[in-house]
């Protein structure tokens, strides 16, 4: 069974740092791009970051660029999100989500499955 | 950046109703459009990918259509378990991909 399990969400003060983890199982982790998506309380979904299967390609939303860093350890089937200079507006449930299978060419992509999420609260 | 706009933002319907949710992109995105369902306290779940392809395990009462800038998600006969929030997502641009603001489907 394909499974994604996030961890690391806690209460942190503004300006603080946090590292989220996502443990993957049930598939060949290194063959898939991975994403972090967040959802502020009562709000919609926001894609935060993407990393390719090899880890060589990374993208970030403007809202987190230069503050967050996505990484992965394919030997340990794990995805990470290092979050620095945290702000109140970063408060959200953070989900990891697997990208669709890698294929040659420019084709539609989607996220499936998703983890259960981990709550990050930034407050003094 | 590609902006995704869903309508309506909320919708009340009854079991057995046929429901349509619309998603509009700020520029043409071909068929690079996905639909997700999210229930309270749960992660989103993929329903439709590439505008009209039904994800494995999703009931056939769900269908998607459209291309270019205008897309629809249709539920042919609402069931109790379908009351949830629905999001569209484009994957035309480089990541991170943008979502619509969501459509909350409530029981009338």
């Amino acid at each position: 069974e394909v499974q994604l399990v996030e961890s690391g969400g806690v209460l942190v003060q503004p300006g603080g740092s946090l590292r989220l983890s996502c443990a993957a199982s049930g598939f060949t982790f290194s063959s898939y791009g991975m994403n972090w998506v967040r959802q502020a309380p009562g709000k919609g979904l926001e894609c935060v970051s993407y990393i390719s299967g090899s880890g060589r390609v990374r993208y970030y939303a403007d809202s987190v660029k230069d503050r967050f860093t996505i990484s992965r350890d394919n030997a340990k089937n794990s995805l990470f999100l290092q979050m620095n200079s945290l702000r109140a507006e970063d408060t959200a449930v953070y989900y990891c989500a697997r990208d669709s299978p890698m294929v040659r060419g420019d084709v539609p992509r989607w996220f499936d499955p998703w983890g259960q999420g981990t709550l990050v609260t930034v407050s003094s | 950046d590609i902006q995704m706009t869903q309508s309506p933002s909320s919708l009340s319907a009854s079991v057995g109703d046929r429901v349509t949710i619309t998603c509009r992109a700020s520029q043409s995105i071909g068929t690079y459009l996905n639909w997700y369902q999210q229930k309270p306290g749960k992660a989103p779940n993929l329903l439709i990918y590439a505008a009209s392809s039904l994800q494995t395990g999703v009931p056939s009462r769900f269908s998607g259509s459209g291309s270019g800038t205008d897309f629809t998600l249709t539920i042919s006969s609402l069931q109790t378990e379908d009351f949830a929030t629905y999001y569209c997502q484009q994957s035309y641009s480089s990541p991170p991909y943008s979502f619509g603001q969501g459509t909350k489907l409530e029981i009338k």
Side-chain angles (χ1 to χ4, degrees), chain A residues 31-77:
Chain A
S31 295
Y32 288 83
M34 296 293 296
N35 302 275
W36 285 102
V37 181
R38 70 183 179 183
Q39 186 170 37
K43 303 297 184 182
L45 301 169
E46 179 190 16
C47 282
V48 170
S49 189
Y50 163 86
I51 187 168
S52 64
S54 65
R56 285 193 287 268
V57 178
R58 309 180 191 198
Y59 292 100
Y60 300 92
D62 288 344
S63 57
V64 305
K65 203 171 294 181
D66 301 325
R67 298 189 299 122
F68 290 10
T69 302
I70 192 170
S71 62
R72 63 191 297 158
D73 183 339
N74 286 342
K76 295 183 177 180
N77 292 342

Side-chain angles (χ1 to χ4, degrees), chain A residues 77-109:
Chain A
N77 292 342
S78 294
L79 174 73
F80 305 102
L81 186 67
Q82 177 67 42
M83 310 164 67
N84 297 331
S85 303
L86 282 161
R87 306 166 180 167
E89 54 265 36
D90 296 318
T91 294
V93 174
Y94 285 74
Y95 297 99
C96 62
R98 189 182 71 172
D99 214 78
S100 46
M102 295 299 295
V103 296
R104 287 190 180 277
D106 189 10
V107 297
R109 313 211 51 80

Side-chain angles (χ1 to χ4, degrees), chain B residues 31-43:
Chain B
T31 58
Y32 289 48
L33 192 284
N34 309 313
W35 290 97
Y36 299 86
Q37 177 193 66
Q38 185 180 34
K39 296 181 179 180
K42 300 295 186 182

Side-chain angles (χ1 to χ4, degrees), chain B:
Chain B
D1 294 357
I2 300 175
Q3 309 301 320
M4 306 301 294
T5 304
Q6 290 181 231
S7 60
S9 296
S10 63
L11 174 61
S12 294
S14 301
V15 173
D17 284 353
R18 179 182 180 89
V19 167
T20 297
I21 297 170
T22 297
C23 179
R24 175 164 290 176
S26 60
Q27 67 181 73
S28 179
I29 60 171
T31 58
Y32 289 48
L33 192 284
N34 309 313
W35 290 97
Y36 299 86
Q37 177 193 66
Q38 185 180 34
K39 296 181 179 180
K42 300 295 186 182
N45 182 51
L46 177 69
L47 298 176
I48 302 285
Y49 62 93
S52 60
S53 295
L54 190 67
Q55 172 66 347
T56 302
V58 174
S60 59
R61 62 181 179 271
F62 291 92
S63 64
S65 65
S67 66
T69 60
D70 295 316
F71 301 87
T72 59
L73 172 70
T74 300
I75 309 172
S76 60
S77 179
L78 269 176
Q79 301 301 300
T80 305
E81 59 267 30
D82 300 337
F83 292 94
T85 299
Y86 294 84
Y87 293 93
C88 63
Q89 177 201 34
Q90 64 81 20
S91 64
Y92 184 82
S93 65
S94 297
Y97 304 132
S98 48
F99 288 93
Q101 82 278 15
T103 295
K104 186 174 184 179
L105 180 53
E106 299 175 304
I107 301 174
K108 184 182 288 184

